[in-house]
Amino acid sequence: MFVHGVEIDNPHFADGATARLKKAFARYSGADPDEALVLKPAFWAQELDVGHDELLNRLGGGGATSFFRTLSRWATATDAGSGLALAALVLSGLVRRLPGARDFHFPTMRWLTVHYVGDAVAYQINSSERELYDRVHAVVARTLTELAAEAGENAPLCVIAHSLGSVVASNFFYDLEVEAGCYGEPRKLKGRRVARSLGSSPVERGETLSFLYTLGSPMALWAARLPDRGTPLIVPHPRAAHHNPKIKGEWVNVYAPDDVISSPLKQLNDRYDRQVAEDRGLSVGPWWLSWSPLSHPWYWNDDRVIDPIAASLAEAWHALRATGNGASTTRGVGACVTTLSPGGRR
C-alpha cells in the first residue's frame, strides 16, 4: 500500500513508484510483478483539500484562484519526478503580489503553508474533534479491504509511506494494535467510520503487516510531543509470523540528510531502536537537487530508495512460494503505498 504525504491532489500519485517497484521486483525475483504483487494507493488528500482550497480562495480572492491551480499542477508534476515543475515552483516563490488579488503577499509561500502545515494541523485529533482524522483513516481502511479481496486475507502487507503519510500509516496501524491488546489491556481507538470500512480478515486487522518503509518521515516531530517521545508501532505485527511464518519483515526508515523534514528514528528512544531495523540515510533526487531540502518530494522517484524495497519483497515472495502460501488464500505480497508520513500515539 502506498500512502502519500502532503500536497498530493492526484489519485494516480503512485503510478511512477509502482512502475519502478514492478521493474525492480521483476529483476530481483524473476517473476511477473502483475501476478506476484497487488499494489494499491491510499489516496486520502481529497478528505482535506476542499477546505484548504476554500480557505485560499477566501484569503486571496478570485484573482488568485488560477494561480493556485497552476501551483497545484506544478506540485503534481513535481511529485511525478519533474525537475522543471519543481524549478517553476521555486521561482514562483519570488512573486510578492498578484495582479487582481487581495492584499495577499507571497502567494506561493502562503499556498505552501496552507497545504503543508494545514494538512498536518487538520489531521490532528483532540478530545472533542476527530472527524478529519477518521476520514483519512477510513481511506486507508478501504484500501486494506481492497487488498484483502484481491491479494488474499492472509497476504503479507507492505506499507510504503511518504512524509505525513508515514504518520497516517503509523497511527492507523497503532490503533489496530492497541485494540488487539499488543500494548497491554485492549482499548477501543478506531472511530465508527473506520470500523464500518474494515472487515475481519487478518489483512484488515493489520495482523499481516510485515514491512513498513517510511520515506522522508516527520515522525520525530510528532514524537516530540509525547512523554519520552512515545511508543512506536510494532513491525512486524506480533501475529504476522502466525500467518506467514517464513517472512521476516522489517521497518526501514529512509531519510535524506539534506531533507530537513526527515530524520533518523532509532535514536528517539530504546523502543524505537528495537522496532526500526534501519535508519537508511540516502541522497535522493537528481545531483543538482539532492544536496538541498528540496529533495523531500523525490523519495519514490529514486531507484536508490525503491530497489532495496523491491529486493525485500522479492525475498518474501520466494518465501511464500517455498511454503505453498501463494496457492490458496494468498495470491502474493500485498503492497499498500502512502506519500507517505510519526510513530507513537498522538
Side-chain angles (χ1 to χ4, degrees), residues 170-191:
S170 176
N171 282 342
F172 177 87
F173 287 100
Y174 182 90
D175 287 355
L176 295 183
E177 289 184 351
V178 168
E179 292 201 357
C182 297
Y183 303 88
E185 188 68 23
R187 291 182 290 131
K188 180 174 173 55
L189 292 181
K190 65 178 180 285

Side-chain angles (χ1 to χ4, degrees), residues 2-340:
F2 290 96
V3 185
H4 66 78
V6 296
E7 193 30 54
I8 294 288
D9 63 358
N10 180 8
H12 303 289
F13 72 91
D15 285 359
T18 296
R20 290 177 184 275
L21 186 63
K22 286 183 175 182
K23 181 178 179 181
F25 177 86
R27 186 170 70 251
Y28 285 113
S29 69
D32 181 351
D34 291 327
E35 292 297 324
L37 299 176
V38 178
L39 302 167
K40 297 285 184 182
F43 177 57
W44 54 263
Q46 75 273 16
E47 303 300 330
L48 305 182
D49 279 351
V50 173
H52 294 345
D53 292 341
E54 182 181 351
L55 174 62
L56 283 168
N57 290 335
R58 285 180 175 273
L59 294 176
T65 300
S66 61
F67 182 75
F68 292 142
R69 288 174 180 165
T70 299
L71 293 179
S72 293
R73 288 196 297 271
W74 287 342
T76 297
T78 297
D79 289 319
S82 171
L84 289 176
L86 178 60
L89 274 175
V90 172
L91 290 175
S92 72
L94 301 175
V95 176
R96 184 169 181 263
R97 300 187 66 175
L98 290 175
R102 293 174 181 157
D103 195 15
F104 188 69
H105 294 181
F106 293 104
T108 297
M109 299 302 177
R110 292 179 181 271
W111 174 85
L112 285 170
T113 299
V114 167
H115 280 285
Y116 280 73
V117 180
D119 276 358
V121 171
Y123 171 68
Q124 288 303 298
I125 190 173
N126 58 52
S127 58
S128 61
E129 178 56 54
R130 58 177 295 156
E131 180 182 354
L132 291 178
Y133 180 93
D134 285 341
R135 281 165 54 181
V136 169
H137 282 202
V139 172
V140 180
R142 291 193 294 271
T143 307
L144 277 184
T145 298
E146 294 171 5
L147 281 169
E150 194 168 341
E153 62 179 23
N154 294 311
L157 179 64
C158 170
V159 175
I160 306 173
H162 175 247
S163 191
L164 182 61
S166 67
V167 180
V168 171
S170 176
N171 282 342
F172 177 87
F173 287 100
Y174 182 90
D175 287 355
L176 295 183
E177 289 184 351
V178 168
E179 292 201 357
C182 297
Y183 303 88
E185 188 68 23
R187 291 182 290 131
K188 180 174 173 55
L189 292 181
K190 65 178 180 285
R192 285 175 293 182
R193 188 189 300 264
V194 177
R196 289 196 301 267
S197 300
L198 281 175
S200 59
S201 70
V203 167
E204 292 164 284
R205 294 196 300 267
E207 292 181 1
T208 68
L209 176 63
S210 302
F211 300 93
L212 174 63
Y213 298 97
T214 49
L215 316 179
S217 174
M219 204 172 288
L221 298 176
W222 258 258
R225 303 173 304 130
L226 303 168
D228 191 30
R229 290 160 298 281
T231 300
L233 178 69
I234 300 174
V235 182
H237 188 283
R239 288 190 57 79
H242 170 77
H243 298 291
N244 296 290
K246 296 296 184 181
I247 293 181
K248 297 177 182 179
E250 62 182 0
W251 176 356
V252 174
N253 176 55
V254 182
Y255 72 98
D258 293 297
D259 173 13
V260 298
I261 294 176
S262 68
S263 65
L265 297 179
K266 289 177 71 66
Q267 60 203 34
L268 291 179
N269 57 38
D270 290 342
R271 295 180 295 277
Y272 274 94
D273 186 46
R274 289 192 297 270
Q275 289 302 319
V276 179
E278 179 186 355
D279 280 318
R280 185 175 295 164
L282 295 173
S283 292
V284 297
W287 65 267
W288 52 270
L289 184 72
S290 60
W291 54 268
S292 77
L294 295 175
S295 60
H296 181 71
W298 232 267
Y299 286 84
W300 48 29
N301 290 305
D302 197 307
D303 289 335
R304 289 168 292 187
V305 174
I306 297 298
D307 271 27
I309 298 175
S312 293
L313 295 183
E315 182 180 353
W317 182 78
H318 282 294
L320 281 176
R321 284 177 57 85
T323 58
N325 232 23
S328 55
T329 59
T330 301
R331 170 181 162 185
V333 179
C336 178
V337 183
T338 302
T339 138
L340 248 159

